[in-house]
């Protein structure tokens, strides 16, 4: 093989590698879900894997006052590899769901592995229980001080665009205070874990 | 370049092409969002593009009775290229959110282009208004007869796994009856369109 053709092949191999190497957020090698019987670990895994969530609130907006309302928000429970289990959010009171929360902070967050490449790669339909998803019940509250510092690190590391969001929106950091954890990750219906079990669990595989 | 090295390069080029060519469901060439000022078209586009949705209900389950509850469901408004605008679902009364709906059918569905590859490819954060999302307010109702036939075609064509779901779950077809459409697809806050405007709009680009 000539030097030129070898160089061309090396370049092609490099491009090929770059193109098949998935981004960190969608890497199949990183998406190794814990065993389904370790429910709290599965919950922590999903919470750390997903970088956005659907939040349900009780609407305060006409014509649906008092009705449920579903909306999407970026979340982070920590920088990649540093999971706290607490979903942090970067919110503004200009936002419709946040206005709901000011009247009634009760909310529910759902995150599904359908949001990652996992279910597509495994061939699991988004509604299949094997396409694991997590539902958190609780409420949303502003955080301050050192917790706000952690929230900032958690969010801005995974959502770098946030740094440049318009300052006149009066963004603040908030946490989802978890009161109940619901997990759909296998056949046989929903399973629940307590917040204590959830926070004690490790989302990562143990290395031997 | 020798025949062998040329063949190797052709093979590499082929692999490279295959690896960068996205799958049909995530093809950027198919994800061509309508202009943001054509709000109803954007809404129809998102509704047809997403094959699952987050549904908010009012929970009937302890310990969160009366609180909002968010959960993920597969949806389809028609086979690919045949958008009706109506989100159809395949449900079972064994499911927790469906049990909520039996007490109070009011619900909200949200679908975000963060569910597709669009936002990642465009570099839009999931919470950016440019990562367009759609919120539908309304209620869920079982469908029968010819509408159930369409729902079956709409769902099974995009969720082939459903055909084999366990028959003892008593699955039924349901539609989301839309009463209000909320669209977040650009700066300046949420926009609403009426169900009439939504159903009259075309989700597809006009060909000249």
């Amino acid at each position: 093989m000539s030097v030129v053709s070898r160089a061309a092949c090396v370049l092609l191999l490099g491009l090929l590698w770059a193109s098949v190497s998935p981004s960190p957020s969608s890497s199949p090698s990183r998406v190794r879900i814990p065993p389904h019987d370790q429910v709290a670990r599965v919950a922590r895994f999903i919470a750390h894997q997903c970088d956005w969530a659907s939040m349900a609130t009780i609407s305060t907006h006409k014509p649906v006052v008092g009705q449920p309302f579903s909306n999407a928000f970026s979340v982070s429970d920590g920088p990649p590899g540093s999971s706290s289990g607490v979903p942090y959010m970067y919110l503004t009171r200009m936002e419709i769901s946040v206005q709901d929360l000011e009247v009634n902070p009760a909310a529910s967050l759902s995150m599904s592995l359908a949001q990652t490449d996992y279910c597509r790669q495994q061939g699991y339909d988004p509604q299949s229980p094997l396409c694991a998803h997590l539902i958190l019940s609780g409420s949303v509250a502003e955080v301050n001080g050192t917790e706000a510092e952690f929230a900032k690190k958690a969010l801005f590391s995974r959502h770098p665009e946030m740094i440049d969001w318009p300052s006149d929106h009066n963004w603040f950091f908030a946490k989802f205070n978890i009161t109940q954890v619901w997990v759909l990750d296998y056949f046989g219906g929903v399973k629940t874990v307590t917040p204590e079990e959830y926070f004690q669990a490790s989302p990562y595989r143990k290395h031997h």
Side-chain angles (χ1 to χ4, degrees), chain A:
Chain A
M1 205 185 270
S2 72
V3 173
V4 173
S5 62
R6 193 177 295 167
C9 277
V10 166
L11 177 66
L12 280 173
L13 263 175
L15 286 170
L16 179 63
W17 174 250
S19 65
V20 297
S21 298
S23 63
S25 64
S26 62
S27 165
S29 63
R30 291 190 53 181
V31 182
R32 298 181 66 190
I33 189 167
H36 67 82
D37 55 349
Q38 298 180 23
V39 185
R41 287 189 64 206
V42 172
R44 288 290 302 274
F45 177 84
I46 299 168
H48 189 59
Q49 200 65 34
C50 293
D51 61 6
W52 61 277
S54 294
M55 181 161 65
T57 54
I58 304 292
S59 184
T60 54
H61 294 275
K62 286 182 182 171
V64 295
V65 176
Q67 290 182 30
F69 194 77
S70 179
N71 200 350
F73 290 87
S74 291
V75 296
S76 172
D77 82 331
S82 298
S83 158
S84 71
V86 180
Y88 290 102
M89 294 185 278
Y90 195 46
L91 303 176
T92 163
R93 291 185 174 84
M94 297 169 77
E95 212 289 327
I96 41 172
S97 296
V98 179
Q99 290 166 358
D100 296 344
L101 293 171
E102 293 200 292
V103 176
N104 181 352
S108 173
L109 278 191
S110 67
M111 295 176 238
S112 166
L113 291 186
Q115 296 170 225
T116 69
D117 289 337
Y118 175 80
C119 300
R120 205 189 298 167
Q121 284 169 352
Q122 298 285 327
Y124 298 150
D125 188 82
Q127 194 172 320
S128 165
L130 299 176
C131 181
H133 58 276
L134 167 68
I135 299 160
L136 301 173
S137 294
S139 59
V140 177
E142 188 169 352
V143 292
N144 292 295
T146 53
E147 190 164 17
E149 282 304 310
F150 182 79
K152 184 177 182 176
K153 208 169 99 181
L155 286 157
F156 286 16
S157 61
R158 295 177 64 170
H159 303 279
E161 192 192 291
M162 286 179 170
I163 298 161
D164 297 318
W165 285 358
S167 58
D168 62 356
H169 282 40
N170 296 312
W171 298 97
F172 63 94
F173 295 99
K175 73 190 285 184
F176 194 87
N177 271 320
I178 301 170
T179 57
Q180 178 80 290
V181 178
W182 317 72
V183 182
L184 281 150
D185 69 339
Y186 201 66
F187 309 108
V190 70
K191 290 169 280 190
T192 56
V193 293
T194 64
E196 291 70 30
E197 292 166 325
Y198 171 84
F199 285 116
Q200 278 164 18
S202 164
Y204 311 110
R205 280 177 183 258
K206 287 181 183 65
H207 296 287
H208 299 287

mmCIF file of all heavy atoms in Angstrom, chain A residues 55 57 86-93 97-98 100-102 104-109 137-145 147-148 151 155 171-179:
data_model
loop_
_atom_site.group_PDB
_atom_site.id
_atom_site.type_symbol
_atom_site.label_atom_id
_atom_site.label_comp_id
_atom_site.label_asym_id
_atom_site.label_seq_id
_atom_site.Cartn_x
_atom_site.Cartn_y
_atom_site.Cartn_z
ATOM 1 N N MET A 55 -42.549 17.121 33.279
ATOM 2 C CA MET A 55 -43.098 17.475 34.587
ATOM 3 C C MET A 55 -44.603 17.685 34.477
ATOM 4 O O MET A 55 -45.076 18.416 33.609
ATOM 5 C CB MET A 55 -42.434 18.735 35.134
ATOM 6 C CG MET A 55 -42.973 19.121 36.509
ATOM 7 S SD MET A 55 -41.885 20.228 37.430
ATOM 8 C CE MET A 55 -41.932 21.696 36.418
ATOM 9 N N THR A 57 -47.898 19.155 36.337
ATOM 10 C CA THR A 57 -48.339 20.096 37.370
ATOM 11 C C THR A 57 -49.865 20.202 37.293
ATOM 12 O O THR A 57 -50.483 19.684 36.360
ATOM 13 C CB THR A 57 -47.736 21.502 37.132
ATOM 14 O OG1 THR A 57 -48.066 21.913 35.789
ATOM 15 C CG2 THR A 57 -46.228 21.506 37.308
ATOM 16 N N VAL A 86 -30.834 13.744 43.085
ATOM 17 C CA VAL A 86 -31.766 14.882 43.161
ATOM 18 C C VAL A 86 -31.856 15.549 41.790
ATOM 19 O O VAL A 86 -30.848 16.069 41.300
ATOM 20 C CB VAL A 86 -31.286 15.935 44.187
ATOM 21 C CG1 VAL A 86 -32.256 17.109 44.246
ATOM 22 C CG2 VAL A 86 -31.087 15.306 45.548
ATOM 23 N N PRO A 87 -33.037 15.564 41.174
ATOM 24 C CA PRO A 87 -33.136 16.287 39.904
ATOM 25 C C PRO A 87 -33.152 17.796 40.156
ATOM 26 O O PRO A 87 -34.026 18.309 40.854
ATOM 27 C CB PRO A 87 -34.485 15.820 39.320
ATOM 28 C CG PRO A 87 -34.878 14.619 40.126
ATOM 29 C CD PRO A 87 -34.278 14.849 41.490
ATOM 30 N N TYR A 88 -32.146 18.463 39.620
ATOM 31 C CA TYR A 88 -32.088 19.924 39.709
ATOM 32 C C TYR A 88 -32.595 20.525 38.398
ATOM 33 O O TYR A 88 -32.467 19.922 37.331
ATOM 34 C CB TYR A 88 -30.661 20.390 39.996
ATOM 35 C CG TYR A 88 -30.212 20.043 41.396
ATOM 36 C CD1 TYR A 88 -29.360 18.966 41.632
ATOM 37 C CD2 TYR A 88 -30.662 20.786 42.488
ATOM 38 C CE1 TYR A 88 -28.968 18.644 42.929
ATOM 39 C CE2 TYR A 88 -30.284 20.461 43.789
ATOM 40 C CZ TYR A 88 -29.432 19.390 43.994
ATOM 41 O OH TYR A 88 -29.054 19.063 45.268
ATOM 42 N N MET A 89 -33.172 21.710 38.513
ATOM 43 C CA MET A 89 -33.707 22.402 37.340
ATOM 44 C C MET A 89 -33.337 23.874 37.387
ATOM 45 O O MET A 89 -33.048 24.419 38.455
ATOM 46 C CB MET A 89 -35.234 22.245 37.303
ATOM 47 C CG MET A 89 -35.685 20.810 37.088
ATOM 48 S SD MET A 89 -37.495 20.654 36.911
ATOM 49 C CE MET A 89 -37.957 20.671 38.637
ATOM 50 N N TYR A 90 -33.359 24.496 36.218
ATOM 51 C CA TYR A 90 -33.033 25.916 36.068
ATOM 52 C C TYR A 90 -34.295 26.574 35.539
ATOM 53 O O TYR A 90 -34.684 26.352 34.384
ATOM 54 C CB TYR A 90 -31.871 26.034 35.078
ATOM 55 C CG TYR A 90 -31.148 27.347 35.019
ATOM 56 C CD1 TYR A 90 -30.752 28.018 36.170
ATOM 57 C CD2 TYR A 90 -30.812 27.913 33.785
ATOM 58 C CE1 TYR A 90 -30.048 29.212 36.094
ATOM 59 C CE2 TYR A 90 -30.103 29.101 33.700
ATOM 60 C CZ TYR A 90 -29.728 29.745 34.863
ATOM 61 O OH TYR A 90 -29.020 30.936 34.777
ATOM 62 N N LEU A 91 -34.958 27.343 36.393
ATOM 63 C CA LEU A 91 -36.324 27.774 36.088
ATOM 64 C C LEU A 91 -36.472 29.294 36.086
ATOM 65 O O LEU A 91 -35.664 30.016 36.681
ATOM 66 C CB LEU A 91 -37.290 27.178 37.121
ATOM 67 C CG LEU A 91 -37.293 25.646 37.249
ATOM 68 C CD1 LEU A 91 -38.230 25.207 38.374
ATOM 69 C CD2 LEU A 91 -37.685 24.981 35.934
ATOM 70 N N THR A 92 -37.513 29.741 35.444
ATOM 71 C CA THR A 92 -37.886 31.158 35.453
ATOM 72 C C THR A 92 -39.385 31.270 35.725
ATOM 73 O O THR A 92 -40.162 30.430 35.250
ATOM 74 C CB THR A 92 -37.536 31.854 34.118
ATOM 75 O OG1 THR A 92 -38.255 33.089 34.038
ATOM 76 C CG2 THR A 92 -37.921 31.017 32.901
ATOM 77 N N ARG A 93 -39.749 32.302 36.474
ATOM 78 C CA ARG A 93 -41.180 32.478 36.794
ATOM 79 C C ARG A 93 -41.989 32.953 35.594
ATOM 80 O O ARG A 93 -43.205 33.100 35.676
ATOM 81 C CB ARG A 93 -41.329 33.422 37.999
ATOM 82 C CG ARG A 93 -40.816 32.773 39.277
ATOM 83 C CD ARG A 93 -41.013 33.561 40.554
ATOM 84 N NE ARG A 93 -40.584 32.724 41.677
ATOM 85 C CZ ARG A 93 -39.321 32.594 42.099
ATOM 86 N NH1 ARG A 93 -38.362 33.270 41.500
ATOM 87 N NH2 ARG A 93 -39.022 31.781 43.100
ATOM 88 N N SER A 97 -45.458 26.366 33.481
ATOM 89 C CA SER A 97 -45.512 25.321 34.514
ATOM 90 C C SER A 97 -44.967 25.841 35.844
ATOM 91 O O SER A 97 -45.439 25.436 36.913
ATOM 92 C CB SER A 97 -44.707 24.091 34.081
ATOM 93 O OG SER A 97 -45.274 23.505 32.935
ATOM 94 N N VAL A 98 -43.967 26.712 35.774
ATOM 95 C CA VAL A 98 -43.401 27.293 36.993
ATOM 96 C C VAL A 98 -44.449 28.174 37.679
ATOM 97 O O VAL A 98 -44.540 28.212 38.908
ATOM 98 C CB VAL A 98 -42.098 28.069 36.671
ATOM 99 C CG1 VAL A 98 -41.511 28.694 37.933
ATOM 100 C CG2 VAL A 98 -41.075 27.141 36.018
ATOM 101 N N ASP A 100 -47.608 27.515 37.595
ATOM 102 C CA ASP A 100 -48.452 26.517 38.296
ATOM 103 C C ASP A 100 -47.847 26.170 39.654
ATOM 104 O O ASP A 100 -48.556 26.098 40.665
ATOM 105 C CB ASP A 100 -48.554 25.224 37.478
ATOM 106 C CG ASP A 100 -49.255 25.400 36.140
ATOM 107 O OD1 ASP A 100 -49.926 26.441 35.952
ATOM 108 O OD2 ASP A 100 -49.128 24.498 35.289
ATOM 109 N N LEU A 101 -46.534 25.941 39.667
ATOM 110 C CA LEU A 101 -45.834 25.524 40.897
ATOM 111 C C LEU A 101 -45.893 26.590 41.985
ATOM 112 O O LEU A 101 -45.851 26.273 43.169
ATOM 113 C CB LEU A 101 -44.374 25.190 40.585
ATOM 114 C CG LEU A 101 -44.133 23.962 39.705
ATOM 115 C CD1 LEU A 101 -42.667 23.886 39.291
ATOM 116 C CD2 LEU A 101 -44.563 22.682 40.412
ATOM 117 N N GLU A 102 -45.992 27.863 41.577
ATOM 118 C CA GLU A 102 -46.066 28.932 42.581
ATOM 119 C C GLU A 102 -47.383 28.863 43.357
ATOM 120 O O GLU A 102 -47.447 29.293 44.502
ATOM 121 C CB GLU A 102 -45.922 30.286 41.899
ATOM 122 C CG GLU A 102 -44.538 30.464 41.311
ATOM 123 C CD GLU A 102 -44.197 31.923 41.079
ATOM 124 O OE1 GLU A 102 -44.826 32.533 40.199
ATOM 125 O OE2 GLU A 102 -43.314 32.434 41.790
ATOM 126 N N ASN A 104 -49.233 25.755 43.487
ATOM 127 C CA ASN A 104 -49.226 24.414 44.078
ATOM 128 C C ASN A 104 -47.934 23.718 43.675
ATOM 129 O O ASN A 104 -47.789 23.304 42.517
ATOM 130 C CB ASN A 104 -50.443 23.628 43.581
ATOM 131 C CG ASN A 104 -50.519 22.231 44.164
ATOM 132 O OD1 ASN A 104 -49.583 21.775 44.828
ATOM 133 N ND2 ASN A 104 -51.623 21.539 43.922
ATOM 134 N N PRO A 105 -46.996 23.583 44.613
ATOM 135 C CA PRO A 105 -45.676 23.032 44.239
ATOM 136 C C PRO A 105 -45.668 21.518 44.000
ATOM 137 O O PRO A 105 -44.643 20.971 43.611
ATOM 138 C CB PRO A 105 -44.796 23.394 45.436
ATOM 139 C CG PRO A 105 -45.736 23.490 46.584
ATOM 140 C CD PRO A 105 -47.041 23.987 46.029
ATOM 141 N N ALA A 106 -46.806 20.844 44.239
ATOM 142 C CA ALA A 106 -46.865 19.394 43.994
ATOM 143 C C ALA A 106 -46.663 19.127 42.509
ATOM 144 O O ALA A 106 -47.257 19.794 41.660
ATOM 145 C CB ALA A 106 -48.204 18.828 44.460
ATOM 146 N N ALA A 107 -45.837 18.135 42.207
ATOM 147 C CA ALA A 107 -45.520 17.844 40.812
ATOM 148 C C ALA A 107 -45.062 16.397 40.681
ATOM 149 O O ALA A 107 -44.867 15.698 41.687
ATOM 150 C CB ALA A 107 -44.425 18.785 40.310
ATOM 151 N N SER A 108 -44.929 15.973 39.447
ATOM 152 C CA SER A 108 -44.427 14.632 39.150
ATOM 153 C C SER A 108 -43.464 14.759 37.985
ATOM 154 O O SER A 108 -43.734 15.473 37.015
ATOM 155 C CB SER A 108 -45.609 13.722 38.807
ATOM 156 O OG SER A 108 -45.172 12.462 38.359
ATOM 157 N N LEU A 109 -42.339 14.088 38.099
ATOM 158 C CA LEU A 109 -41.346 14.077 37.019
ATOM 159 C C LEU A 109 -41.270 12.680 36.446
ATOM 160 O O LEU A 109 -41.155 11.711 37.207
ATOM 161 C CB LEU A 109 -39.949 14.410 37.555
ATOM 162 C CG LEU A 109 -39.487 15.834 37.788
ATOM 163 C CD1 LEU A 109 -37.976 15.823 38.049
ATOM 164 C CD2 LEU A 109 -39.809 16.746 36.625
ATOM 165 N N SER A 137 -42.669 11.410 42.447
ATOM 166 C CA SER A 137 -43.699 12.278 43.013
ATOM 167 C C SER A 137 -43.037 13.170 44.044
ATOM 168 O O SER A 137 -42.077 12.757 44.708
ATOM 169 C CB SER A 137 -44.796 11.449 43.690
ATOM 170 O OG SER A 137 -45.494 10.688 42.730
ATOM 171 N N GLY A 138 -43.569 14.377 44.191
ATOM 172 C CA GLY A 138 -43.003 15.285 45.175
ATOM 173 C C GLY A 138 -43.367 16.717 44.880
ATOM 174 O O GLY A 138 -44.471 17.002 44.431
ATOM 175 N N SER A 139 -42.407 17.598 45.114
ATOM 176 C CA SER A 139 -42.660 19.019 44.891
ATOM 177 C C SER A 139 -41.373 19.711 44.467
ATOM 178 O O SER A 139 -40.272 19.167 44.634
ATOM 179 C CB SER A 139 -43.212 19.667 46.161
ATOM 180 O OG SER A 139 -42.276 19.502 47.207
ATOM 181 N N VAL A 140 -41.530 20.887 43.921
ATOM 182 C CA VAL A 140 -40.388 21.644 43.415
ATOM 183 C C VAL A 140 -40.127 22.831 44.332
ATOM 184 O O VAL A 140 -41.068 23.528 44.729
ATOM 185 C CB VAL A 140 -40.663 22.126 41.967
ATOM 186 C CG1 VAL A 140 -39.506 22.976 41.448
ATOM 187 C CG2 VAL A 140 -40.881 20.928 41.051
ATOM 188 N N ALA A 141 -38.870 23.040 44.698
ATOM 189 C CA ALA A 141 -38.520 24.148 45.585
ATOM 190 C C ALA A 141 -37.217 24.789 45.143
ATOM 191 O O ALA A 141 -36.296 24.098 44.684
ATOM 192 C CB ALA A 141 -38.375 23.637 47.023
ATOM 193 N N GLU A 142 -37.148 26.106 45.282
ATOM 194 C CA GLU A 142 -35.916 26.827 44.970
ATOM 195 C C GLU A 142 -34.815 26.399 45.941
ATOM 196 O O GLU A 142 -35.095 26.080 47.101
ATOM 197 C CB GLU A 142 -36.173 28.341 45.105
ATOM 198 C CG GLU A 142 -35.015 29.193 44.627
ATOM 199 C CD GLU A 142 -35.363 30.682 44.516
ATOM 200 O OE1 GLU A 142 -36.554 31.047 44.657
ATOM 201 O OE2 GLU A 142 -34.436 31.471 44.289
ATOM 202 N N VAL A 143 -33.577 26.358 45.449
ATOM 203 C CA VAL A 143 -32.440 26.078 46.336
ATOM 204 C C VAL A 143 -31.499 27.269 46.345
ATOM 205 O O VAL A 143 -31.472 28.072 45.402
ATOM 206 C CB VAL A 143 -31.668 24.788 45.922
ATOM 207 C CG1 VAL A 143 -32.510 23.552 46.152
ATOM 208 C CG2 VAL A 143 -31.178 24.860 44.477
ATOM 209 N N ASN A 144 -30.769 27.374 47.432
ATOM 210 C CA ASN A 144 -29.841 28.494 47.608
ATOM 211 C C ASN A 144 -28.524 27.990 48.184
ATOM 212 O O ASN A 144 -28.387 26.816 48.504
ATOM 213 C CB ASN A 144 -30.459 29.538 48.544
ATOM 214 C CG ASN A 144 -31.646 30.226 47.889
ATOM 215 O OD1 ASN A 144 -31.491 30.931 46.897
ATOM 216 N ND2 ASN A 144 -32.840 29.998 48.417
ATOM 217 N N GLY A 145 -27.576 28.905 48.328
ATOM 218 C CA GLY A 145 -26.304 28.605 48.995
ATOM 219 C C GLY A 145 -25.531 27.488 48.319
ATOM 220 O O GLY A 145 -25.459 27.421 47.088
ATOM 221 N N GLU A 147 -26.191 24.369 48.006
ATOM 222 C CA GLU A 147 -26.971 23.479 47.148
ATOM 223 C C GLU A 147 -27.183 24.113 45.764
ATOM 224 O O GLU A 147 -27.159 23.422 44.750
ATOM 225 C CB GLU A 147 -28.314 23.100 47.788
ATOM 226 C CG GLU A 147 -28.990 21.981 46.996
ATOM 227 C CD GLU A 147 -30.106 21.280 47.737
ATOM 228 O OE1 GLU A 147 -30.604 21.842 48.736
ATOM 229 O OE2 GLU A 147 -30.489 20.168 47.296
ATOM 230 N N ALA A 148 -27.372 25.420 45.740
ATOM 231 C CA ALA A 148 -27.498 26.112 44.448
ATOM 232 C C ALA A 148 -26.194 26.030 43.667
ATOM 233 O O ALA A 148 -26.203 25.914 42.432
ATOM 234 C CB ALA A 148 -27.916 27.564 44.660
ATOM 235 N N ALA A 151 -26.206 22.625 42.205
ATOM 236 C CA ALA A 151 -27.203 22.599 41.115
ATOM 237 C C ALA A 151 -26.640 23.254 39.862
ATOM 238 O O ALA A 151 -26.820 22.751 38.745
ATOM 239 C CB ALA A 151 -28.480 23.307 41.567
ATOM 240 N N LEU A 155 -26.160 21.301 36.440
ATOM 241 C CA LEU A 155 -26.915 21.688 35.241
ATOM 242 C C LEU A 155 -26.005 22.234 34.138
ATOM 243 O O LEU A 155 -26.115 21.818 32.981
ATOM 244 C CB LEU A 155 -27.984 22.720 35.610
ATOM 245 C CG LEU A 155 -29.190 22.123 36.354
ATOM 246 C CD1 LEU A 155 -29.911 23.180 37.168
ATOM 247 C CD2 LEU A 155 -30.159 21.457 35.364
ATOM 248 N N TRP A 171 -33.595 33.654 36.115
ATOM 249 C CA TRP A 171 -33.467 32.215 36.327
ATOM 250 C C TRP A 171 -33.088 31.908 37.764
ATOM 251 O O TRP A 171 -32.339 32.652 38.389
ATOM 252 C CB TRP A 171 -32.385 31.652 35.398
ATOM 253 C CG TRP A 171 -32.709 31.825 33.954
ATOM 254 C CD1 TRP A 171 -32.274 32.832 33.119
ATOM 255 C CD2 TRP A 171 -33.567 30.998 33.168
ATOM 256 N NE1 TRP A 171 -32.817 32.662 31.867
ATOM 257 C CE2 TRP A 171 -33.612 31.550 31.854
ATOM 258 C CE3 TRP A 171 -34.302 29.844 33.422
ATOM 259 C CZ2 TRP A 171 -34.356 30.987 30.823
ATOM 260 C CZ3 TRP A 171 -35.042 29.285 32.392
ATOM 261 C CH2 TRP A 171 -35.066 29.855 31.118
ATOM 262 N N PHE A 172 -33.601 30.820 38.277
ATOM 263 C CA PHE A 172 -33.185 30.357 39.606
ATOM 264 C C PHE A 172 -33.017 28.844 39.582
ATOM 265 O O PHE A 172 -33.537 28.163 38.693
ATOM 266 C CB PHE A 172 -34.199 30.791 40.680
ATOM 267 C CG PHE A 172 -35.586 30.213 40.516
ATOM 268 C CD1 PHE A 172 -35.957 29.049 41.185
ATOM 269 C CD2 PHE A 172 -36.536 30.826 39.698
ATOM 270 C CE1 PHE A 172 -37.233 28.504 41.040
ATOM 271 C CE2 PHE A 172 -37.818 30.287 39.532
ATOM 272 C CZ PHE A 172 -38.165 29.131 40.220
ATOM 273 N N PHE A 173 -32.273 28.339 40.565
ATOM 274 C CA PHE A 173 -32.057 26.898 40.662
ATOM 275 C C PHE A 173 -33.111 26.289 41.576
ATOM 276 O O PHE A 173 -33.480 26.871 42.594
ATOM 277 C CB PHE A 173 -30.643 26.602 41.181
ATOM 278 C CG PHE A 173 -29.576 27.049 40.223
ATOM 279 C CD1 PHE A 173 -28.901 28.249 40.411
ATOM 280 C CD2 PHE A 173 -29.277 26.283 39.106
ATOM 281 C CE1 PHE A 173 -27.935 28.679 39.504
ATOM 282 C CE2 PHE A 173 -28.318 26.706 38.188
ATOM 283 C CZ PHE A 173 -27.651 27.905 38.389
ATOM 284 N N ALA A 174 -33.591 25.117 41.184
ATOM 285 C CA ALA A 174 -34.629 24.445 41.966
ATOM 286 C C ALA A 174 -34.312 22.964 42.044
ATOM 287 O O ALA A 174 -33.556 22.421 41.230
ATOM 288 C CB ALA A 174 -35.998 24.655 41.315
ATOM 289 N N LYS A 175 -34.873 22.315 43.050
ATOM 290 C CA LYS A 175 -34.710 20.869 43.182
ATOM 291 C C LYS A 175 -36.089 20.222 43.198
ATOM 292 O O LYS A 175 -37.093 20.863 43.561
ATOM 293 C CB LYS A 175 -33.965 20.516 44.466
ATOM 294 C CG LYS A 175 -34.789 20.703 45.736
ATOM 295 C CD LYS A 175 -33.970 20.586 46.993
ATOM 296 C CE LYS A 175 -33.592 19.163 47.335
ATOM 297 N NZ LYS A 175 -32.864 19.132 48.635
ATOM 298 N N PHE A 176 -36.116 18.957 42.832
ATOM 299 C CA PHE A 176 -37.336 18.178 42.971
ATOM 300 C C PHE A 176 -37.219 17.405 44.287
ATOM 301 O O PHE A 176 -36.361 16.533 44.428
ATOM 302 C CB PHE A 176 -37.511 17.227 41.782
ATOM 303 C CG PHE A 176 -38.892 16.654 41.719
ATOM 304 C CD1 PHE A 176 -39.907 17.333 41.063
ATOM 305 C CD2 PHE A 176 -39.187 15.449 42.347
ATOM 306 C CE1 PHE A 176 -41.199 16.814 41.035
ATOM 307 C CE2 PHE A 176 -40.470 14.931 42.323
ATOM 308 C CZ PHE A 176 -41.484 15.613 41.666
ATOM 309 N N ASN A 177 -38.069 17.763 45.254
ATOM 310 C CA ASN A 177 -38.113 17.077 46.548
ATOM 311 C C ASN A 177 -38.919 15.794 46.401
ATOM 312 O O ASN A 177 -40.140 15.828 46.271
ATOM 313 C CB ASN A 177 -38.804 17.967 47.592
ATOM 314 C CG ASN A 177 -37.833 18.881 48.296
ATOM 315 O OD1 ASN A 177 -36.715 18.481 48.625
ATOM 316 N ND2 ASN A 177 -38.256 20.114 48.525
ATOM 317 N N ILE A 178 -38.243 14.659 46.436
ATOM 318 C CA ILE A 178 -38.888 13.372 46.131
ATOM 319 C C ILE A 178 -39.600 12.818 47.364
ATOM 320 O O ILE A 178 -39.009 12.679 48.430
ATOM 321 C CB ILE A 178 -37.821 12.359 45.647
ATOM 322 C CG1 ILE A 178 -37.102 12.898 44.402
ATOM 323 C CG2 ILE A 178 -38.469 10.999 45.376
ATOM 324 C CD1 ILE A 178 -35.880 12.080 44.007
ATOM 325 N N THR A 179 -40.899 12.494 47.195
ATOM 326 C CA THR A 179 -41.633 11.841 48.293
ATOM 327 C C THR A 179 -41.950 10.382 47.967
ATOM 328 O O THR A 179 -42.195 9.589 48.873
ATOM 329 C CB THR A 179 -42.946 12.573 48.602
ATOM 330 O OG1 THR A 179 -43.733 12.622 47.398
ATOM 331 C CG2 THR A 179 -42.687 14.001 49.088
#
